[in-house]
Amino acid sequence: MAVISVALAGRSYDVVIEEGLMAQLAKRAAPFLKSYGTTRSVPFVADTNTHRLYAAGIDTNLAAHGLAATWFVVDPGEDAKTWSVLESLCDWLLGLGITRRDHVFALGGGVVGDLVGFACAILKRGCGFVQLPTTLLAQVDSSVGGKTAINTRAGKNLIGAFHQPSLVLIDPLVLATLPDRQMRAGYAEVLKYGLLGDAAFFGWLETNGNKVVGRDPAALGHAIATSIAMKARIVAEDERETEDRRALLNLGHTFGHALEAETGFSQSLLHGEAVALGMVLAARYSARRGEISVADAERAAQAIAAASLPASLAALGLACDGAALVEHMRHDKKAESTTLLFLLLRSLGEAYVARDVDLADIAAFLDGELTA
Ligand code: GLY
């Protein structure tokens, strides 16, 4: 078992990583399973998949401890992060008589976690929630750090709040049922931690990445714990991304966001896949600026390709040019009025925020990558 604390003044919380946690929820989450609301049962939110896989086990485990869950189930996918689902969820929680002392349990991937976190940020000006992430991406990234949001017509995650969970329980065993493609997409975020801040971890992943993606228990546990430890450190230093520290977690995301926008945020390119290719582009652009060697950029690309993640922009077959991708970047919520932030590499294991990037040069670079 690993317990990593996210140290935030007055709002510190633990991230617990242990195989079999889901089956011992009543014990592991005991302080947060008390209900102060009128129905006396604990609110859980799941999607139809996580509900089908885990609700019965959770109900049984809670019942054995004299507790009961009550469930709100959403459709899987980004469509659950809408105003209308948020409204239904808030109405349901208010109907339960939820109080500010209650905790809502979010059982699912990033969509469920973001939706529940945001509902809990605004309900009665803030109630508690517990994250039970069931995808690798949610386990190593979105469940920790308190970024919560829904999508609107204008874009993804544009309505949201920073609202930290009270506890994150990560059970690597739940990844056994995760489709391989989702597992690889989550692994892109694991590689991100190595590339942005830990050369030794990146080297370890070059050797052991196939074991992580293959769900080898020891390798997976080490990868999750190392990733969370870095995220916890960064969030503690710069919770609201007001300094350049937390922005480092966006390595691969500026390029990746443009690729997701160009492919319509569809299943043809998952978020983690876009981040993977975005990291290849960030590495190659860093080499173009002479900050890392071409050999190091290709080493990063090779680590990504080795996990069967996209490492070639040309292979995506996009019918656009570099200028169109830059235009998508301008609409990223992380864009500032006069400039775009790019996360680039000083070495494999050290990222930095660049604000001096010439967008015409980025477009020219992307034109080359689109046809390489
Ligand atoms: N996923 C990036 C962050 O949590 O800041």
Side-chain angles (χ1 to χ4, degrees):
M1 178 174 75
V3 181
I4 296 159
S5 178
V6 182
L8 294 163
R11 286 165 298 118
S12 296
Y13 58 94
D14 284 344
V15 181
V16 183
I17 305 159
E18 187 180 5
E19 289 192 3
L21 270 182
M22 201 68 94
Q24 312 169 34
L25 203 56
K27 199 166 119 203
R28 295 306 196 175
F32 307 104
L33 282 162
K34 232 186 194 109
S35 174
Y36 301 90
T38 45
T39 65
R40 302 283 164 221
S41 41
V42 184
F44 277 71
V45 182
D47 66 29
T48 50
N49 293 326
T50 55
H51 184 262
R52 176 174 43 80
L53 289 165
Y54 305 113
I58 289 174
D59 285 341
T60 306
N61 177 244
L62 294 193
H65 291 78
L67 297 162
T70 179
W71 293 88
F72 184 92
V73 182
V74 300
D75 288 335
E78 290 284 328
D79 286 352
K81 280 174 61 172
T82 59
W83 285 113
S84 65
V85 176
L86 176 72
E87 184 180 9
S88 307
L89 174 57
C90 289
D91 284 345
W92 179 75
L93 289 166
L94 290 169
L96 296 176
I98 190 156
T99 74
R100 295 173 77 174
R101 295 174 73 195
D102 282 301
H103 285 79
V104 183
F105 283 68
L107 174 70
V111 165
V112 170
D114 283 9
L115 171 73
V116 172
F118 186 49
C120 291
I122 58 176
L123 263 167
K124 302 207 167 165
R125 300 203 178 96
C127 61
F129 74 114
V130 172
Q131 292 270 24
L132 305 173
T134 57
T135 64
L136 181 58
L137 195 140
Q139 292 190 346
V140 298
D141 185 23
S142 61
S143 66
V144 177
K147 282 189 178 175
T148 73
I150 58 164
N151 305 327
T152 68
R153 267 192 293 276
K156 280 180 70 173
N157 295 330
L158 293 180
I159 305 291
F162 286 98
H163 186 54
Q164 300 291 344
S166 301
L167 176 70
V168 182
L169 295 180
I170 295 178
D171 183 350
L173 285 185
V174 303
L175 301 179
T177 52
L178 191 69
D180 287 348
R181 188 177 173 203
Q182 297 282 352
M183 192 70 194
R184 288 194 296 271
Y187 177 70
E189 300 277 359
V190 175
L191 269 173
K192 181 186 80 175
Y193 292 105
L195 280 173
L196 80 87
D198 188 340
F201 184 46
F202 177 72
W204 183 85
L205 290 169
E206 286 184 298
T207 309
N208 296 285
N210 57 341
K211 291 191 196 153
V212 177
V213 176
R215 301 163 174 84
D216 171 86
L220 188 54
H222 177 68
I224 294 171
T226 308
S227 301
I228 294 295
M230 189 186 298
K231 178 143 191 186
R233 262 196 317 276
I234 290 175
V235 168
E237 288 165 11
D238 181 18
E239 182 185 7
R240 290 180 176 242
E241 210 168 305
T242 48
E243 289 147 47
D244 279 351
R245 197 73 187 114
R246 186 161 182 171
L248 297 180
L249 295 172
N250 297 326
L251 178 64
H253 284 62
T254 304
F255 288 110
H257 170 84
L259 301 175
E260 283 185 280
E262 182 61 26
T263 50
F265 294 97
S266 67
Q267 290 298 302
S268 68
L269 190 68
L270 301 178
H271 175 71
E273 293 168 342
V275 168
L277 186 45
M279 290 192 294
V280 173
L281 295 171
R284 291 198 176 135
Y285 192 71
S286 303
R288 180 181 171 101
R289 281 166 54 113
E291 279 153 356
I292 61 171
S293 66
V294 171
D296 271 353
E298 289 322 299
R299 208 178 131 196
Q302 181 47 39
I304 285 160
S308 303
L309 284 161
S312 155
L313 184 53
L316 277 194
L318 298 179
C320 70
D321 62 7
L325 292 175
V326 168
E327 208 38 48
H328 288 307
M329 292 174 191
R330 287 185 199 278
H331 295 110
D332 190 331
K333 67 179 173 319
K334 292 181 283 296
E336 295 178 353
S337 56
T338 50
T339 182
L340 278 172
L341 303 190
F342 283 87
L343 281 301
L344 299 178
L345 294 174
R346 277 202 192 98
S347 65
L348 299 186
E350 189 187 353
Y352 74 98
V353 180
R355 288 194 164 78
D356 61 342
V357 172
D358 172 10
L359 295 184
D361 190 51
I362 290 280
F365 162 71
L366 290 171
D367 281 338
E369 291 292 321
L370 281 159
T371 53

